[in-house]
Amino acid sequence: MPPTPGVPSFAVIPGAHVHRVLDGRHEEVVRLIESAYRVHGGGDTVNPPSYFLRFPDRPTSRIIALPASLGGDAPVDGIKWISSFPENVAAGIPRASAVLVLNDPATGYPLACLESSIISAARTAASAALAADRLTEGRDRPRRIGFFGTGLIARFIHQYLVGTGWSFEKTGVYDLSDEHARGFAEHLEREGDNGTVTLHTGPEQLIRSSDVIVFATVAAAPHVTDPGWFTHNPLVLHVSLRDLSPQVILAATNVVDDIDHCLKAETSPHLAEQLCGNREFIDGTLYDVLTGDLKIPGDRPVVFSPFGLGVLDLAVGRHIYDTLHADGELAVVDGFFHEMRRYG
């Protein structure tokens, strides 16, 4: 990030520029996310609770504020403001929209506002790809994957897995919407590297036939309740956080990105904590895996439940800002900060 100028500047970074910086750079983004997890695990971040704006007249919708501060070699402060309006899908527009505001850690002045739905999807997918790699380390990579939920996040996770060296002999697809499931399956077939693509008519068949299962739904409460579906000990990338019953969680090895953040807001791990009265079922964090402090056993299913840390968005947003600044492509809003004299 450039040195703080005498008069702060403010840039607006549209989605097209975000996409251009990130497109095809899956391994680079995964490295950014790993670095942010290491900084967070080392205690050099501030990541307070997310704040949920809910609407009595629109119970399925919400807007979430994720404030955070990232230290390390590339410090930055900021906040993500992300909405989830599931009814958008029926209108032909994406469910989620977001902006990310970056603040200069020296002055507190906002530096930039970035379109952030792509950033959010990329950091979620990079986190899942990083976890998939490290949680299967020392074993043959699984070759059968199943996607439960077929929206933007599922598409990005698939891209990031393939972009970091994964390939699949069999890919399963299931969604409550047959139309969405078919569309995603056709996308996978066009992309290649997925072997046989199978549309499943129910969740049990998908889960039992997959060694990696990606949950990327908008579920508000657990709907997968039978631990017996997971007796083949798959890796579960539980990115939507509310799909699995407490019984499924308690029968698994559980890894989260941040224990305090994940065990709240009626997530599946939070419900498991309420059921058993403790957190002993959490085996550790992804940081523990990265540092070698947590070894993953092979005799149980492994569930990775990332709550989605704001510091991850900051790491990616900071990288985009710095890249565009270095290339001379920042769209600066002249005079954005108008009153800069203390006494007028």
mmCIF file with all atom_site columns, all heavy atoms in Angstrom, residues 230-254:
data_model
loop_
_atom_site.group_PDB
_atom_site.id
_atom_site.type_symbol
_atom_site.label_atom_id
_atom_site.label_alt_id
_atom_site.label_comp_id
_atom_site.label_asym_id
_atom_site.label_entity_id
_atom_site.label_seq_id
_atom_site.pdbx_PDB_ins_code
_atom_site.Cartn_x
_atom_site.Cartn_y
_atom_site.Cartn_z
_atom_site.occupancy
_atom_site.B_iso_or_equiv
_atom_site.pdbx_formal_charge
_atom_site.auth_seq_id
_atom_site.auth_comp_id
_atom_site.auth_asym_id
_atom_site.auth_atom_id
_atom_site.pdbx_PDB_model_num
ATOM 1   N N   . PHE A 1 230 ? -22.443 -40.878 6.275  1.00 0.00 ? 230 PHE A N   1
ATOM 2   C CA  . PHE A 1 230 ? -21.043 -40.450 6.205  1.00 0.00 ? 230 PHE A CA  1
ATOM 3   C C   . PHE A 1 230 ? -20.074 -41.527 6.702  1.00 0.00 ? 230 PHE A C   1
ATOM 4   O O   . PHE A 1 230 ? -18.922 -41.221 7.011  1.00 0.00 ? 230 PHE A O   1
ATOM 5   C CB  . PHE A 1 230 ? -20.845 -39.179 7.036  1.00 0.00 ? 230 PHE A CB  1
ATOM 6   C CG  . PHE A 1 230 ? -21.676 -38.005 6.584  1.00 0.00 ? 230 PHE A CG  1
ATOM 7   C CD1 . PHE A 1 230 ? -22.989 -37.849 7.019  1.00 0.00 ? 230 PHE A CD1 1
ATOM 8   C CD2 . PHE A 1 230 ? -21.149 -37.055 5.724  1.00 0.00 ? 230 PHE A CD2 1
ATOM 9   C CE1 . PHE A 1 230 ? -23.756 -36.764 6.618  1.00 0.00 ? 230 PHE A CE1 1
ATOM 10  C CE2 . PHE A 1 230 ? -21.911 -35.963 5.311  1.00 0.00 ? 230 PHE A CE2 1
ATOM 11  C CZ  . PHE A 1 230 ? -23.224 -35.821 5.760  1.00 0.00 ? 230 PHE A CZ  1
ATOM 12  N N   . THR A 1 231 ? -20.512 -42.778 6.764  1.00 0.00 ? 231 THR A N   1
ATOM 13  C CA  . THR A 1 231 ? -19.663 -43.833 7.325  1.00 0.00 ? 231 THR A CA  1
ATOM 14  C C   . THR A 1 231 ? -18.459 -44.173 6.447  1.00 0.00 ? 231 THR A C   1
ATOM 15  O O   . THR A 1 231 ? -17.551 -44.872 6.901  1.00 0.00 ? 231 THR A O   1
ATOM 16  C CB  . THR A 1 231 ? -20.492 -45.105 7.579  1.00 0.00 ? 231 THR A CB  1
ATOM 17  O OG1 . THR A 1 231 ? -21.164 -45.474 6.360  1.00 0.00 ? 231 THR A OG1 1
ATOM 18  C CG2 . THR A 1 231 ? -21.517 -44.879 8.682  1.00 0.00 ? 231 THR A CG2 1
ATOM 19  N N   . HIS A 1 232 ? -18.422 -43.688 5.212  1.00 0.00 ? 232 HIS A N   1
ATOM 20  C CA  . HIS A 1 232 ? -17.245 -43.887 4.362  1.00 0.00 ? 232 HIS A CA  1
ATOM 21  C C   . HIS A 1 232 ? -16.182 -42.819 4.610  1.00 0.00 ? 232 HIS A C   1
ATOM 22  O O   . HIS A 1 232 ? -15.165 -42.766 3.913  1.00 0.00 ? 232 HIS A O   1
ATOM 23  C CB  . HIS A 1 232 ? -17.653 -43.904 2.880  1.00 0.00 ? 232 HIS A CB  1
ATOM 24  C CG  . HIS A 1 232 ? -18.369 -42.654 2.415  1.00 0.00 ? 232 HIS A CG  1
ATOM 25  N ND1 . HIS A 1 232 ? -19.538 -42.198 2.969  1.00 0.00 ? 232 HIS A ND1 1
ATOM 26  C CD2 . HIS A 1 232 ? -18.053 -41.758 1.433  1.00 0.00 ? 232 HIS A CD2 1
ATOM 27  C CE1 . HIS A 1 232 ? -19.927 -41.079 2.347  1.00 0.00 ? 232 HIS A CE1 1
ATOM 28  N NE2 . HIS A 1 232 ? -19.029 -40.791 1.425  1.00 0.00 ? 232 HIS A NE2 1
ATOM 29  N N   . ASN A 1 233 ? -16.403 -41.960 5.618  1.00 0.00 ? 233 ASN A N   1
ATOM 30  C CA  . ASN A 1 233 ? -15.419 -40.978 6.102  1.00 0.00 ? 233 ASN A CA  1
ATOM 31  C C   . ASN A 1 233 ? -14.966 -39.982 5.029  1.00 0.00 ? 233 ASN A C   1
ATOM 32  O O   . ASN A 1 233 ? -13.771 -39.820 4.756  1.00 0.00 ? 233 ASN A O   1
ATOM 33  C CB  . ASN A 1 233 ? -14.204 -41.695 6.703  1.00 0.00 ? 233 ASN A CB  1
ATOM 34  C CG  . ASN A 1 233 ? -14.588 -42.576 7.867  1.00 0.00 ? 233 ASN A CG  1
ATOM 35  O OD1 . ASN A 1 233 ? -15.564 -42.314 8.560  1.00 0.00 ? 233 ASN A OD1 1
ATOM 36  N ND2 . ASN A 1 233 ? -13.821 -43.628 8.087  1.00 0.00 ? 233 ASN A ND2 1
ATOM 37  N N   . PRO A 1 234 ? -15.905 -39.249 4.448  1.00 0.00 ? 234 PRO A N   1
ATOM 38  C CA  . PRO A 1 234 ? -15.533 -38.250 3.445  1.00 0.00 ? 234 PRO A CA  1
ATOM 39  C C   . PRO A 1 234 ? -15.001 -36.974 4.093  1.00 0.00 ? 234 PRO A C   1
ATOM 40  O O   . PRO A 1 234 ? -15.112 -36.763 5.311  1.00 0.00 ? 234 PRO A O   1
ATOM 41  C CB  . PRO A 1 234 ? -16.854 -37.971 2.738  1.00 0.00 ? 234 PRO A CB  1
ATOM 42  C CG  . PRO A 1 234 ? -17.879 -38.162 3.825  1.00 0.00 ? 234 PRO A CG  1
ATOM 43  C CD  . PRO A 1 234 ? -17.364 -39.310 4.649  1.00 0.00 ? 234 PRO A CD  1
ATOM 44  N N   . LEU A 1 235 ? -14.443 -36.098 3.259  1.00 0.00 ? 235 LEU A N   1
ATOM 45  C CA  . LEU A 1 235 ? -14.134 -34.730 3.650  1.00 0.00 ? 235 LEU A CA  1
ATOM 46  C C   . LEU A 1 235 ? -15.349 -33.875 3.294  1.00 0.00 ? 235 LEU A C   1
ATOM 47  O O   . LEU A 1 235 ? -15.817 -33.901 2.153  1.00 0.00 ? 235 LEU A O   1
ATOM 48  C CB  . LEU A 1 235 ? -12.905 -34.216 2.904  1.00 0.00 ? 235 LEU A CB  1
ATOM 49  C CG  . LEU A 1 235 ? -12.620 -32.712 3.022  1.00 0.00 ? 235 LEU A CG  1
ATOM 50  C CD1 . LEU A 1 235 ? -12.316 -32.320 4.460  1.00 0.00 ? 235 LEU A CD1 1
ATOM 51  C CD2 . LEU A 1 235 ? -11.487 -32.303 2.090  1.00 0.00 ? 235 LEU A CD2 1
ATOM 52  N N   . VAL A 1 236 ? -15.841 -33.123 4.257  1.00 0.00 ? 236 VAL A N   1
ATOM 53  C CA  . VAL A 1 236 ? -17.026 -32.287 4.060  1.00 0.00 ? 236 VAL A CA  1
ATOM 54  C C   . VAL A 1 236 ? -16.612 -30.823 4.157  1.00 0.00 ? 236 VAL A C   1
ATOM 55  O O   . VAL A 1 236 ? -16.140 -30.376 5.209  1.00 0.00 ? 236 VAL A O   1
ATOM 56  C CB  . VAL A 1 236 ? -18.111 -32.603 5.106  1.00 0.00 ? 236 VAL A CB  1
ATOM 57  C CG1 . VAL A 1 236 ? -19.344 -31.722 4.875  1.00 0.00 ? 236 VAL A CG1 1
ATOM 58  C CG2 . VAL A 1 236 ? -18.491 -34.076 5.060  1.00 0.00 ? 236 VAL A CG2 1
ATOM 59  N N   . LEU A 1 237 ? -16.755 -30.092 3.070  1.00 0.00 ? 237 LEU A N   1
ATOM 60  C CA  . LEU A 1 237 ? -16.502 -28.653 3.053  1.00 0.00 ? 237 LEU A CA  1
ATOM 61  C C   . LEU A 1 237 ? -17.836 -27.960 3.301  1.00 0.00 ? 237 LEU A C   1
ATOM 62  O O   . LEU A 1 237 ? -18.639 -27.748 2.392  1.00 0.00 ? 237 LEU A O   1
ATOM 63  C CB  . LEU A 1 237 ? -15.893 -28.237 1.708  1.00 0.00 ? 237 LEU A CB  1
ATOM 64  C CG  . LEU A 1 237 ? -14.572 -28.930 1.357  1.00 0.00 ? 237 LEU A CG  1
ATOM 65  C CD1 . LEU A 1 237 ? -14.110 -28.543 -0.052 1.00 0.00 ? 237 LEU A CD1 1
ATOM 66  C CD2 . LEU A 1 237 ? -13.490 -28.602 2.383  1.00 0.00 ? 237 LEU A CD2 1
ATOM 67  N N   . HIS A 1 238 ? -18.066 -27.633 4.565  1.00 0.00 ? 238 HIS A N   1
ATOM 68  C CA  . HIS A 1 238 ? -19.376 -27.193 5.046  1.00 0.00 ? 238 HIS A CA  1
ATOM 69  C C   . HIS A 1 238 ? -19.428 -25.662 5.036  1.00 0.00 ? 238 HIS A C   1
ATOM 70  O O   . HIS A 1 238 ? -19.589 -25.013 6.069  1.00 0.00 ? 238 HIS A O   1
ATOM 71  C CB  . HIS A 1 238 ? -19.575 -27.763 6.457  1.00 0.00 ? 238 HIS A CB  1
ATOM 72  C CG  . HIS A 1 238 ? -20.918 -27.527 7.049  1.00 0.00 ? 238 HIS A CG  1
ATOM 73  N ND1 . HIS A 1 238 ? -21.096 -27.331 8.398  1.00 0.00 ? 238 HIS A ND1 1
ATOM 74  C CD2 . HIS A 1 238 ? -22.149 -27.455 6.494  1.00 0.00 ? 238 HIS A CD2 1
ATOM 75  C CE1 . HIS A 1 238 ? -22.378 -27.160 8.661  1.00 0.00 ? 238 HIS A CE1 1
ATOM 76  N NE2 . HIS A 1 238 ? -23.038 -27.233 7.522  1.00 0.00 ? 238 HIS A NE2 1
ATOM 77  N N   . VAL A 1 239 ? -19.304 -25.075 3.838  1.00 0.00 ? 239 VAL A N   1
ATOM 78  C CA  . VAL A 1 239 ? -19.134 -23.630 3.760  1.00 0.00 ? 239 VAL A CA  1
ATOM 79  C C   . VAL A 1 239 ? -20.418 -22.870 4.048  1.00 0.00 ? 239 VAL A C   1
ATOM 80  O O   . VAL A 1 239 ? -20.360 -21.683 4.395  1.00 0.00 ? 239 VAL A O   1
ATOM 81  C CB  . VAL A 1 239 ? -18.555 -23.207 2.390  1.00 0.00 ? 239 VAL A CB  1
ATOM 82  C CG1 . VAL A 1 239 ? -17.193 -23.839 2.164  1.00 0.00 ? 239 VAL A CG1 1
ATOM 83  C CG2 . VAL A 1 239 ? -19.497 -23.526 1.253  1.00 0.00 ? 239 VAL A CG2 1
ATOM 84  N N   . SER A 1 240 ? -21.577 -23.513 3.936  1.00 0.00 ? 240 SER A N   1
ATOM 85  C CA  . SER A 1 240 ? -22.825 -22.802 4.225  1.00 0.00 ? 240 SER A CA  1
ATOM 86  C C   . SER A 1 240 ? -23.265 -22.959 5.670  1.00 0.00 ? 240 SER A C   1
ATOM 87  O O   . SER A 1 240 ? -24.253 -22.348 6.076  1.00 0.00 ? 240 SER A O   1
ATOM 88  C CB  . SER A 1 240 ? -23.933 -23.225 3.263  1.00 0.00 ? 240 SER A CB  1
ATOM 89  O OG  . SER A 1 240 ? -23.920 -24.608 3.012  1.00 0.00 ? 240 SER A OG  1
ATOM 90  N N   . LEU A 1 241 ? -22.603 -23.777 6.452  1.00 0.00 ? 241 LEU A N   1
ATOM 91  C CA  . LEU A 1 241 ? -22.594 -23.754 7.914  1.00 0.00 ? 241 LEU A CA  1
ATOM 92  C C   . LEU A 1 241 ? -23.845 -24.249 8.638  1.00 0.00 ? 241 LEU A C   1
ATOM 93  O O   . LEU A 1 241 ? -23.788 -24.503 9.835  1.00 0.00 ? 241 LEU A O   1
ATOM 94  C CB  . LEU A 1 241 ? -22.304 -22.334 8.432  1.00 0.00 ? 241 LEU A CB  1
ATOM 95  C CG  . LEU A 1 241 ? -20.848 -21.904 8.424  1.00 0.00 ? 241 LEU A CG  1
ATOM 96  C CD1 . LEU A 1 241 ? -20.730 -20.447 8.844  1.00 0.00 ? 241 LEU A CD1 1
ATOM 97  C CD2 . LEU A 1 241 ? -20.037 -22.766 9.371  1.00 0.00 ? 241 LEU A CD2 1
ATOM 98  N N   . ARG A 1 242 ? -24.956 -24.405 7.957  1.00 0.00 ? 242 ARG A N   1
ATOM 99  C CA  . ARG A 1 242 ? -26.178 -24.775 8.672  1.00 0.00 ? 242 ARG A CA  1
ATOM 100 C C   . ARG A 1 242 ? -26.871 -25.985 8.046  1.00 0.00 ? 242 ARG A C   1
ATOM 101 O O   . ARG A 1 242 ? -28.063 -26.176 8.222  1.00 0.00 ? 242 ARG A O   1
ATOM 102 C CB  . ARG A 1 242 ? -27.145 -23.585 8.722  1.00 0.00 ? 242 ARG A CB  1
ATOM 103 C CG  . ARG A 1 242 ? -26.601 -22.424 9.544  1.00 0.00 ? 242 ARG A CG  1
ATOM 104 C CD  . ARG A 1 242 ? -27.496 -21.204 9.513  1.00 0.00 ? 242 ARG A CD  1
ATOM 105 N NE  . ARG A 1 242 ? -26.954 -20.152 10.368 1.00 0.00 ? 242 ARG A NE  1
ATOM 106 C CZ  . ARG A 1 242 ? -26.035 -19.264 9.994  1.00 0.00 ? 242 ARG A CZ  1
ATOM 107 N NH1 . ARG A 1 242 ? -25.546 -19.317 8.748  1.00 0.00 ? 242 ARG A NH1 1
ATOM 108 N NH2 . ARG A 1 242 ? -25.597 -18.351 10.836 1.00 0.00 ? 242 ARG A NH2 1
ATOM 109 N N   . ASP A 1 243 ? -26.116 -26.812 7.360  1.00 0.00 ? 243 ASP A N   1
ATOM 110 C CA  . ASP A 1 243 ? -26.704 -27.954 6.667  1.00 0.00 ? 243 ASP A CA  1
ATOM 111 C C   . ASP A 1 243 ? -26.761 -29.207 7.534  1.00 0.00 ? 243 ASP A C   1
ATOM 112 O O   . ASP A 1 243 ? -27.651 -30.040 7.362  1.00 0.00 ? 243 ASP A O   1
ATOM 113 C CB  . ASP A 1 243 ? -25.897 -28.264 5.400  1.00 0.00 ? 243 ASP A CB  1
ATOM 114 C CG  . ASP A 1 243 ? -25.833 -27.085 4.454  1.00 0.00 ? 243 ASP A CG  1
ATOM 115 O OD1 . ASP A 1 243 ? -26.765 -26.925 3.659  1.00 0.00 ? 243 ASP A OD1 1
ATOM 116 O OD2 . ASP A 1 243 ? -24.860 -26.320 4.525  1.00 0.00 ? 243 ASP A OD2 1
ATOM 117 N N   . LEU A 1 244 ? -25.803 -29.374 8.445  1.00 0.00 ? 244 LEU A N   1
ATOM 118 C CA  . LEU A 1 244 ? -25.628 -30.642 9.158  1.00 0.00 ? 244 LEU A CA  1
ATOM 119 C C   . LEU A 1 244 ? -26.237 -30.584 10.547 1.00 0.00 ? 244 LEU A C   1
ATOM 120 O O   . LEU A 1 244 ? -26.082 -29.597 11.276 1.00 0.00 ? 244 LEU A O   1
ATOM 121 C CB  . LEU A 1 244 ? -24.135 -30.966 9.272  1.00 0.00 ? 244 LEU A CB  1
ATOM 122 C CG  . LEU A 1 244 ? -23.348 -30.984 7.961  1.00 0.00 ? 244 LEU A CG  1
ATOM 123 C CD1 . LEU A 1 244 ? -21.879 -31.275 8.236  1.00 0.00 ? 244 LEU A CD1 1
ATOM 124 C CD2 . LEU A 1 244 ? -23.933 -32.003 6.988  1.00 0.00 ? 244 LEU A CD2 1
ATOM 125 N N   . SER A 1 245 ? -26.893 -31.674 10.936 1.00 0.00 ? 245 SER A N   1
ATOM 126 C CA  . SER A 1 245 ? -27.460 -31.757 12.277 1.00 0.00 ? 245 SER A CA  1
ATOM 127 C C   . SER A 1 245 ? -26.346 -31.894 13.307 1.00 0.00 ? 245 SER A C   1
ATOM 128 O O   . SER A 1 245 ? -25.224 -32.316 12.988 1.00 0.00 ? 245 SER A O   1
ATOM 129 C CB  . SER A 1 245 ? -28.398 -32.951 12.375 1.00 0.00 ? 245 SER A CB  1
ATOM 130 O OG  . SER A 1 245 ? -27.649 -34.167 12.360 1.00 0.00 ? 245 SER A OG  1
ATOM 131 N N   . PRO A 1 246 ? -26.622 -31.563 14.574 1.00 0.00 ? 246 PRO A N   1
ATOM 132 C CA  . PRO A 1 246 ? -25.613 -31.773 15.615 1.00 0.00 ? 246 PRO A CA  1
ATOM 133 C C   . PRO A 1 246 ? -25.113 -33.210 15.681 1.00 0.00 ? 246 PRO A C   1
ATOM 134 O O   . PRO A 1 246 ? -23.943 -33.452 15.970 1.00 0.00 ? 246 PRO A O   1
ATOM 135 C CB  . PRO A 1 246 ? -26.352 -31.374 16.895 1.00 0.00 ? 246 PRO A CB  1
ATOM 136 C CG  . PRO A 1 246 ? -27.385 -30.389 16.448 1.00 0.00 ? 246 PRO A CG  1
ATOM 137 C CD  . PRO A 1 246 ? -27.820 -30.878 15.098 1.00 0.00 ? 246 PRO A CD  1
ATOM 138 N N   . GLN A 1 247 ? -25.976 -34.167 15.385 1.00 0.00 ? 247 GLN A N   1
ATOM 139 C CA  . GLN A 1 247 ? -25.574 -35.576 15.442 1.00 0.00 ? 247 GLN A CA  1
ATOM 140 C C   . GLN A 1 247 ? -24.502 -35.880 14.387 1.00 0.00 ? 247 GLN A C   1
ATOM 141 O O   . GLN A 1 247 ? -23.562 -36.636 14.653 1.00 0.00 ? 247 GLN A O   1
ATOM 142 C CB  . GLN A 1 247 ? -26.788 -36.479 15.246 1.00 0.00 ? 247 GLN A CB  1
ATOM 143 C CG  . GLN A 1 247 ? -27.773 -36.460 16.412 1.00 0.00 ? 247 GLN A CG  1
ATOM 144 C CD  . GLN A 1 247 ? -28.636 -35.207 16.455 1.00 0.00 ? 247 GLN A CD  1
ATOM 145 O OE1 . GLN A 1 247 ? -28.739 -34.473 15.471 1.00 0.00 ? 247 GLN A OE1 1
ATOM 146 N NE2 . GLN A 1 247 ? -29.253 -34.947 17.604 1.00 0.00 ? 247 GLN A NE2 1
ATOM 147 N N   . VAL A 1 248 ? -24.640 -35.289 13.204 1.00 0.00 ? 248 VAL A N   1
ATOM 148 C CA  . VAL A 1 248 ? -23.623 -35.474 12.166 1.00 0.00 ? 248 VAL A CA  1
ATOM 149 C C   . VAL A 1 248 ? -22.318 -34.807 12.590 1.00 0.00 ? 248 VAL A C   1
ATOM 150 O O   . VAL A 1 248 ? -21.225 -35.371 12.430 1.00 0.00 ? 248 VAL A O   1
ATOM 151 C CB  . VAL A 1 248 ? -24.120 -34.921 10.813 1.00 0.00 ? 248 VAL A CB  1
ATOM 152 C CG1 . VAL A 1 248 ? -23.006 -34.967 9.771  1.00 0.00 ? 248 VAL A CG1 1
ATOM 153 C CG2 . VAL A 1 248 ? -25.331 -35.707 10.324 1.00 0.00 ? 248 VAL A CG2 1
ATOM 154 N N   . ILE A 1 249 ? -22.419 -33.597 13.130 1.00 0.00 ? 249 ILE A N   1
ATOM 155 C CA  . ILE A 1 249 ? -21.228 -32.882 13.592 1.00 0.00 ? 249 ILE A CA  1
ATOM 156 C C   . ILE A 1 249 ? -20.513 -33.686 14.677 1.00 0.00 ? 249 ILE A C   1
ATOM 157 O O   . ILE A 1 249 ? -19.275 -33.856 14.643 1.00 0.00 ? 249 ILE A O   1
ATOM 158 C CB  . ILE A 1 249 ? -21.616 -31.489 14.129 1.00 0.00 ? 249 ILE A CB  1
ATOM 159 C CG1 . ILE A 1 249 ? -22.103 -30.586 12.983 1.00 0.00 ? 249 ILE A CG1 1
ATOM 160 C CG2 . ILE A 1 249 ? -20.461 -30.854 14.889 1.00 0.00 ? 249 ILE A CG2 1
ATOM 161 C CD1 . ILE A 1 249 ? -21.032 -30.146 12.026 1.00 0.00 ? 249 ILE A CD1 1
ATOM 162 N N   . LEU A 1 250 ? -21.241 -34.220 15.645 1.00 0.00 ? 250 LEU A N   1
ATOM 163 C CA  . LEU A 1 250 ? -20.626 -34.899 16.784 1.00 0.00 ? 250 LEU A CA  1
ATOM 164 C C   . LEU A 1 250 ? -19.998 -36.237 16.397 1.00 0.00 ? 250 LEU A C   1
ATOM 165 O O   . LEU A 1 250 ? -19.157 -36.761 17.139 1.00 0.00 ? 250 LEU A O   1
ATOM 166 C CB  . LEU A 1 250 ? -21.662 -35.098 17.895 1.00 0.00 ? 250 LEU A CB  1
ATOM 167 C CG  . LEU A 1 250 ? -22.173 -33.801 18.539 1.00 0.00 ? 250 LEU A CG  1
ATOM 168 C CD1 . LEU A 1 250 ? -23.302 -34.101 19.519 1.00 0.00 ? 250 LEU A CD1 1
ATOM 169 C CD2 . LEU A 1 250 ? -21.044 -33.059 19.235 1.00 0.00 ? 250 LEU A CD2 1
ATOM 170 N N   . ALA A 1 251 ? -20.375 -36.773 15.240 1.00 0.00 ? 251 ALA A N   1
ATOM 171 C CA  . ALA A 1 251 ? -19.795 -38.039 14.786 1.00 0.00 ? 251 ALA A CA  1
ATOM 172 C C   . ALA A 1 251 ? -18.575 -37.831 13.900 1.00 0.00 ? 251 ALA A C   1
ATOM 173 O O   . ALA A 1 251 ? -18.037 -38.796 13.357 1.00 0.00 ? 251 ALA A O   1
ATOM 174 C CB  . ALA A 1 251 ? -20.856 -38.845 14.025 1.00 0.00 ? 251 ALA A CB  1
ATOM 175 N N   . ALA A 1 252 ? -18.110 -36.573 13.763 1.00 0.00 ? 252 ALA A N   1
ATOM 176 C CA  . ALA A 1 252 ? -17.036 -36.243 12.828 1.00 0.00 ? 252 ALA A CA  1
ATOM 177 C C   . ALA A 1 252 ? -15.843 -35.619 13.537 1.00 0.00 ? 252 ALA A C   1
ATOM 178 O O   . ALA A 1 252 ? -15.932 -35.186 14.696 1.00 0.00 ? 252 ALA A O   1
ATOM 179 C CB  . ALA A 1 252 ? -17.559 -35.274 11.761 1.00 0.00 ? 252 ALA A CB  1
ATOM 180 N N   . THR A 1 253 ? -14.710 -35.580 12.825 1.00 0.00 ? 253 THR A N   1
ATOM 181 C CA  . THR A 1 253 ? -13.600 -34.711 13.197 1.00 0.00 ? 253 THR A CA  1
ATOM 182 C C   . THR A 1 253 ? -13.939 -33.317 12.700 1.00 0.00 ? 253 THR A C   1
ATOM 183 O O   . THR A 1 253 ? -14.235 -33.127 11.515 1.00 0.00 ? 253 THR A O   1
ATOM 184 C CB  . THR A 1 253 ? -12.288 -35.191 12.550 1.00 0.00 ? 253 THR A CB  1
ATOM 185 O OG1 . THR A 1 253 ? -11.949 -36.474 13.090 1.00 0.00 ? 253 THR A OG1 1
ATOM 186 C CG2 . THR A 1 253 ? -11.159 -34.211 12.817 1.00 0.00 ? 253 THR A CG2 1
ATOM 187 N N   . ASN A 1 254 ? -13.907 -32.334 13.586 1.00 0.00 ? 254 ASN A N   1
ATOM 188 C CA  . ASN A 1 254 ? -14.370 -30.990 13.236 1.00 0.00 ? 254 ASN A CA  1
ATOM 189 C C   . ASN A 1 254 ? -13.231 -29.985 13.262 1.00 0.00 ? 254 ASN A C   1
ATOM 190 O O   . ASN A 1 254 ? -12.535 -29.824 14.271 1.00 0.00 ? 254 ASN A O   1
ATOM 191 C CB  . ASN A 1 254 ? -15.462 -30.547 14.205 1.00 0.00 ? 254 ASN A CB  1
ATOM 192 C CG  . ASN A 1 254 ? -16.774 -31.260 13.948 1.00 0.00 ? 254 ASN A CG  1
ATOM 193 O OD1 . ASN A 1 254 ? -17.496 -30.912 13.019 1.00 0.00 ? 254 ASN A OD1 1
ATOM 194 N ND2 . ASN A 1 254 ? -17.053 -32.271 14.754 1.00 0.00 ? 254 ASN A ND2 1
#
